[in-house]
Amino acid sequence: MTRIDFHTNVPDKVAYACRLVRKAWAANNRVVLMTEDSAQLAELNAAMWDFSATDYLPHVLVSDELAAQTPILLTDSDEAELPHTHKELLVNLSRRTPRNIAHFTRMIEVISSEEDDAAAGRKRYVAYKQQDYPLTHFVTGKS
């Protein structure tokens, strides 16, 4: 069953996602990042190119012809066809519940400190708990 980790109180979801992806990529994981919409998708894509002068994060949009060979995929739709056969990590930046959670070994829900986002995150947490997913919770900025 998919392990779901909630990372809450995140001040900047895009920057936080870049750091998560850097760690996952360093551990040789394939990652799919799902954004709220096309605007956030464009922001994330740009941020991943500019994230670090020393760390390259090989990524493409899920619709790109190189998606099957690229370890980090970006999408704003959970209806997109995912080419990876072994789906290790889904990072959800959106406020919706992804359809394809069960296809992944692990999912990280990135929740900001904004009340609307936090409320949507709490609803997803309750829904996942009712479905008996193994859950963990990490509050950003607290030890």
Side-chain angles (χ1 to χ4, degrees):
M1 183 169 253
T2 306
R3 180 179 123 196
I4 302 175
D5 301 328
F6 275 77
H7 293 221
T8 60
N9 201 39
V10 174
D12 182 341
K13 290 171 85 166
V14 169
Y16 193 82
C18 289
R19 290 191 301 275
L20 285 174
V21 169
R22 178 176 54 190
K23 287 176 73 173
W25 169 238
N28 294 315
N29 288 301
R30 291 185 171 271
V31 183
V32 175
L33 292 106
M34 189 170 79
T35 64
E36 181 69 27
D37 53 29
S38 59
Q40 189 181 45
L41 180 66
E43 180 185 357
L44 178 62
N45 189 25
M48 289 188 71
W49 284 112
D50 297 333
F51 174 63
S52 169
T54 58
D55 297 305
Y56 172 65
L57 302 174
H59 69 283
V60 295
L61 301 181
V62 76
S63 59
D64 191 280
E65 63 185 36
L66 295 175
Q69 296 87 28
T70 307
I72 303 167
L73 302 178
L74 313 180
T75 185
D76 61 355
S77 170
D78 62 354
E79 295 182 17
E81 187 66 33
L82 302 174
H84 296 164
T85 55
H86 184 69
K87 297 166 182 71
E88 294 159 342
L89 176 61
L90 172 63
V91 177
N92 186 20
L93 303 176
S94 78
R95 294 180 182 181
R96 61 191 179 276
T97 301
R99 279 186 323 125
N100 51 10
I101 299 168
H103 296 214
F104 291 86
T105 305
R106 182 177 176 205
M107 179 171 71
I108 298 176
E109 287 273 3
V110 180
I111 312 296
S112 75
S113 53
E114 295 175 11
E115 185 49 42
D116 289 349
D117 195 42
R122 285 190 291 274
K123 286 180 183 177
R124 290 194 308 278
Y125 187 93
V126 168
Y128 298 146
K129 188 171 186 156
Q130 290 173 343
Q131 296 172 55
D132 292 325
Y133 279 103
L135 302 172
T136 62
H137 181 208
F138 173 76
V139 180
T140 308
K142 292 188 178 181
S143 310

